């Protein structure tokens, strides 16, 4: 398989700048893998395709406000700092991306507040835009994290050209987000409303949760033509014993098991054994799923519409047959479905 096999023409106006007015009223394209047929519905109709005891698996990661703006000492130049991951809570050392990177060298200090209560020192270079920062803050760890939250901005993807708005803090977060650690939302889950979750519950549908802290690697373009040479960035994944048991029981009983999002699917496929059993897991995954791939757990999935040549479209092509997916994407463009993080959804059965 080659990267160019997953290219298609995506008009820029189909990239969603805002979410749908109501979470569960985004559009939903339903793909049936057996018949290779396509239906057009609204997201809240997803309930019609599931029965009592079927299982939805959600990614309960919570996005933190990862984008900060600071000023470089002496010059006062404005620098964007994008928090990627905390390396050491005690010494307040973080991996970050900086922009513009050419101005930021080891030893530089960045000031985030007028009163200099939050300062960071650059202690290492990691990649062309990557730096390691040590934050200097006079207060407890809880106060430090509260300060980051106060100063941080919702990390909308760069393709959204508008300013961040107050509603983004709520809408770029699933309603079941619990475990803070993601710098991008698991976007398939953004379509679930409280009302829809209650309707699913009343119908007797079961829920399980895993955690995969989505990193920016999700959006990294593939720069090689041979897919076997692409390296995914690692993301932290956690599946506890209780949820592993719920998932294993559903698989054993032959129920419909729906992975909500590519991040959920990646976590499941990382921890599944050859006998299709999920084990409790806590660690990092850089699993890259592309055709052909034998999926061990989920037999249905919900996902958003992804950009050309992305690792995400490759995963769903592995799940649903590449030619069928590319045909569905052509139809999505023709029918003007909205793409990407705030876009419409697809259910693959």
């Amino acid at each position: 398989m080659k990267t160019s096999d997953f290219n298609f023409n995506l008009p820029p106006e189909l990239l969603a700048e805002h979410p749908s007015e109501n979470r569960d009223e985004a559009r939903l394209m339903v793909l049936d893998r057996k018949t290779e047929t396509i239906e057009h519905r609204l997201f809240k109709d997803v309930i019609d395709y599931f029965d009592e005891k079927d299982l939805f698996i959600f990614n309960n990661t919570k996005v933190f406000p990862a984008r900060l703006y600071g000023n470089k000492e002496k010059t006062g130049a404005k620098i964007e700092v994008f928090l990627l991951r905390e390396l050491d809570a005690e010494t307040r050392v973080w991996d970050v991306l900086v922009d513009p990177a050419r101005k930021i060298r080891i030893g530089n200090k960045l000031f985030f507040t007028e009163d200099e209560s939050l300062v960071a020192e650059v202690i290492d270079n990691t990649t062309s835009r990557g730096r390691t920062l040590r934050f200097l803050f006079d207060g407890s760890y809880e106060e430090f994290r509260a300060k980051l939250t106060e100063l941080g901005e919702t990390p909308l993807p760069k393709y959204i050209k508008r300013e961040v708005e107050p509603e983004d803090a709520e809408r770029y977060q699933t309603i079941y987000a619990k475990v803070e650690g993601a710098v991008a939302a698991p976007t398939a889950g953004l379509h679930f409303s409280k009302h829809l979750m209650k309707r699913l519950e009343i119908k007797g549908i079961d829920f399980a949760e895993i955690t995969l802290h989505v990193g920016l690697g999700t959006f990294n373009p593939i720069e090689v033509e041979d897919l076997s040479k692409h390296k995914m960035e690692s993301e932290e994944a956690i599946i506890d014993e209780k949820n592993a048991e719920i998932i294993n029981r559903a698989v054993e009983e032959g129920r419909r098991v729906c992975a909500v999002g590519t991040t959920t699917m990646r976590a499941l496929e990382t921890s599944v054994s050859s006998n299709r059993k999920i084990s409790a897991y806590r660690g990092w995954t850089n699993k890259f799923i592309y055709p052909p791939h034998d999926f061990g757990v989920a037999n249905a999935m919900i996902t958003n519409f992804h950009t050309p040549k992305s690792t995400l479209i490759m995963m769903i092509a592995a799940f649903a047959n590449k030619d069928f997916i590319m045909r569905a994407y052509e139809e999505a463009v023709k029918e003007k479905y909205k793409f990407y993080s705030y876009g419409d959804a697809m259910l693959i059965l």
Side-chain angles (χ1 to χ4, degrees):
M1 281 277 165
K2 301 197 298 286
T3 302
S4 52
D5 292 337
F6 298 90
N7 200 12
F8 63 95
N9 179 41
L10 177 58
E13 64 272 17
L14 296 186
L15 288 171
E17 288 272 322
H18 289 90
S20 58
E21 192 174 340
N22 298 309
R23 284 180 186 268
D24 58 14
E25 289 184 346
R27 294 166 75 192
L28 177 71
M29 181 185 274
V30 184
L31 305 191
D32 186 314
R33 292 182 291 171
K34 282 199 186 79
T35 58
E36 294 209 342
T37 51
I38 297 173
E39 285 182 86
H40 303 287
R41 307 287 295 265
L42 289 180
F43 191 81
K44 60 188 177 184
D45 301 331
V46 78
I47 193 168
D48 299 342
Y49 296 89
F50 294 88
D51 295 316
E52 190 180 351
K53 290 294 177 199
D54 286 344
L55 178 69
F56 277 76
I57 309 172
F58 298 103
N59 180 3
N60 66 12
T61 188
K62 188 173 185 179
V63 180
F64 65 91
R67 192 172 274 129
L68 298 171
Y69 294 95
N71 296 96
K72 192 179 166 188
E73 64 176 336
K74 294 182 184 147
T75 67
K78 188 179 181 185
I79 306 292
E80 179 189 302
V81 173
F82 196 101
L83 302 172
L84 290 178
R85 64 177 68 97
E86 185 176 55
L87 299 179
D88 187 330
E90 203 177 324
T91 56
R92 297 173 190 172
V93 171
W94 284 69
D95 261 346
V96 305
L97 295 177
V98 293
D99 191 20
R102 67 184 184 281
K103 294 184 175 179
I104 301 301
R105 297 186 172 85
I106 293 171
N108 286 163
K109 283 196 171 139
L110 299 169
F111 294 85
F112 296 94
T113 53
E114 293 264 323
D115 63 1
E116 301 184 7
S117 59
L118 183 66
V119 181
E121 184 181 6
V122 182
I123 59 173
D124 202 2
N125 296 328
T126 51
T127 59
S128 58
R129 285 180 58 216
R131 301 290 183 271
T132 305
L133 298 188
R134 180 186 290 114
F135 283 95
L136 311 170
F137 179 80
D138 189 17
S140 69
Y141 179 72
E142 289 69 28
E143 288 166 329
F144 166 63
R145 288 304 297 249
K147 181 58 83 174
L148 290 184
T149 300
E150 177 199 325
L151 296 174
E153 194 177 84
T154 303
L156 293 184
K158 283 284 193 190
Y159 84 88
I160 295 179
K161 300 295 183 235
R162 64 174 173 80
E163 291 292 306
V164 172
E165 294 164 11
E167 70 155 4
D168 290 313
E170 182 217 341
R171 291 302 301 271
Y172 195 63
Q173 194 83 269
T174 63
I175 60 163
Y176 47 77
K178 283 192 188 84
V179 188
E180 194 171 81
V183 298
T187 54
L190 297 179
H191 302 293
F192 285 85
S193 63
K194 285 183 178 145
H195 181 61
L196 177 58
M197 295 290 273
K198 183 48 82 180
R199 286 173 64 217
L200 290 166
E201 214 179 293
I202 289 165
K203 194 168 183 178
I205 288 160
D206 289 339
F207 301 150
E209 292 183 357
I210 59 90
T211 305
L212 184 133
H213 291 315
V214 191
L216 280 187
T218 297
F219 306 124
N220 278 359
I222 298 185
E223 287 165 351
V224 289
E225 181 63 353
D226 177 355
L227 295 187
S228 66
K229 294 190 165 55
H230 177 67
K231 294 280 182 288
M232 292 284 281
E233 273 187 41
S234 292
E235 295 170 312
E236 190 178 11
I238 304 153
I239 302 176
D240 64 23
E241 292 280 0
K242 181 182 135 209
N243 283 285
E245 209 174 288
I246 293 168
I247 295 164
N248 286 333
R249 201 176 315 126
V251 172
E252 276 163 25
E253 292 172 7
R255 297 188 245 145
R256 181 163 270 173
V257 176
C258 182
V260 177
T262 55
T263 58
T264 299
M265 189 69 94
R266 187 179 300 125
L268 294 173
E269 290 300 302
T270 296
S271 61
V272 71
S273 62
S274 54
N275 63 358
R276 300 187 182 274
K277 277 262 192 300
I278 287 284
S279 308
Y281 181 86
R282 187 181 191 109
W284 294 80
T285 176
N286 62 352
K287 192 167 189 68
F288 176 27
I289 299 171
Y290 59 93
H293 180 83
D294 182 25
F295 288 82
V297 184
N299 50 27
M301 82 179 286
I302 292 168
T303 186
N304 276 21
F305 288 91
H306 308 296
T307 47
K309 300 196 285 191
S310 62
T311 59
L312 308 172
I313 192 174
M314 291 166 189
M315 180 194 288
I316 63 164
F319 189 69
N321 175 311
K322 178 188 154 292
D323 293 340
F324 183 33
I325 284 295
M326 298 314 282
R327 180 157 64 81
Y329 266 59
E330 265 178 49
E331 181 145 344
V333 170
K334 195 174 92 209
E335 296 293 330
K336 296 190 166 31
Y337 274 76
K338 289 291 190 184
F339 278 67
Y340 220 31
S341 303
Y342 270 155
D344 293 316
M346 177 184 271
L347 168 64
I348 306 171
L349 299 168

